Amino acid sequence: MSIREALASDNFGAKAVVQKSLASFGLLADFDTLDAAIGALGLVNSPNAIELVAEVDGKLVGCLAIQCKEGAVAKLFGFHVDANMQGRGIGRALLAEGIAQAVTHDFVQLELETWGNMGAAVHLYESLGWIRGPDPLPESGADRFYSLALPR
């Protein structure tokens, strides 16, 4: 397994991973709105501060994007691992690298929104110290909010 910065050539594969992942929860990806961070992954005009992909044997199996919100707060978007590859530590390694890069970008807090029924992701977030906060508004496209204070 390797984790690296996303390239423009990864855009299609990352979108496929996200579409498949969301479909397994009965959700549709919308790369123009809610999933725009992954829609822009690897592209020249991307608004993302951090873009990572995970590969196994040369195949893209996971992705994430982090965008600056305001000040030193950033938001994690599009964190997905191919369902066929889950349970192998790929998500943990990918998220750990995203967190490490957020620290080097001088972010002091990461935030994310997710669905409570995404049990593996919720378990991973909580095991890494993410704290659940007030639930987001229904139009956010999620039902849970988490934040992680980053070391300075």
Side-chain angles (χ1 to χ4, degrees):
M1 171 188 47
S2 66
I3 297 176
R4 61 172 175 76
E5 291 189 22
L7 306 170
S9 58
D10 296 319
N11 185 274
F12 180 80
K15 286 178 181 177
V17 166
V18 171
Q19 286 172 319
K20 184 177 177 184
S21 175
L22 290 175
S24 72
F25 294 98
L27 301 170
L28 293 174
D30 183 347
F31 297 113
D32 293 323
T33 58
L34 294 175
D35 304 300
I38 295 302
L41 190 116
L43 302 182
V44 175
N45 295 327
S46 172
N48 302 323
I50 299 167
E51 300 177 326
L52 298 174
V53 295
E55 289 183 323
V56 173
D57 298 327
K59 182 178 187 242
L60 192 149
V61 297
C63 58
L64 69 73
I66 297 174
Q67 291 182 357
C68 183
K69 277 184 63 174
E70 53 185 66
V73 177
K75 187 171 180 180
L76 175 70
F77 289 96
F79 172 54
H80 294 272
V81 174
D82 185 301
N84 295 328
M85 301 301 289
Q86 291 179 2
R88 301 178 189 197
I90 296 166
R92 183 173 293 276
L94 181 59
L95 185 55
E97 180 61 22
I99 293 168
Q101 287 199 20
V103 170
T104 65
H105 278 74
D106 294 324
F107 293 126
V108 298
Q109 181 172 302
L110 281 175
E111 298 177 347
L112 66 85
E113 293 176 355
T114 191
W115 288 96
N117 66 343
M118 295 180 173
V122 168
H123 174 75
L124 176 59
Y125 301 139
E126 292 176 351
S127 75
L128 292 174
W130 292 74
I131 305 296
R132 186 171 177 188
D135 293 339
L137 298 172
E139 59 269 16
S140 78
D143 68 359
R144 287 197 182 182
F145 170 87
Y146 284 89
S147 64
L148 178 69
L150 300 174
R152 294 195 136 231

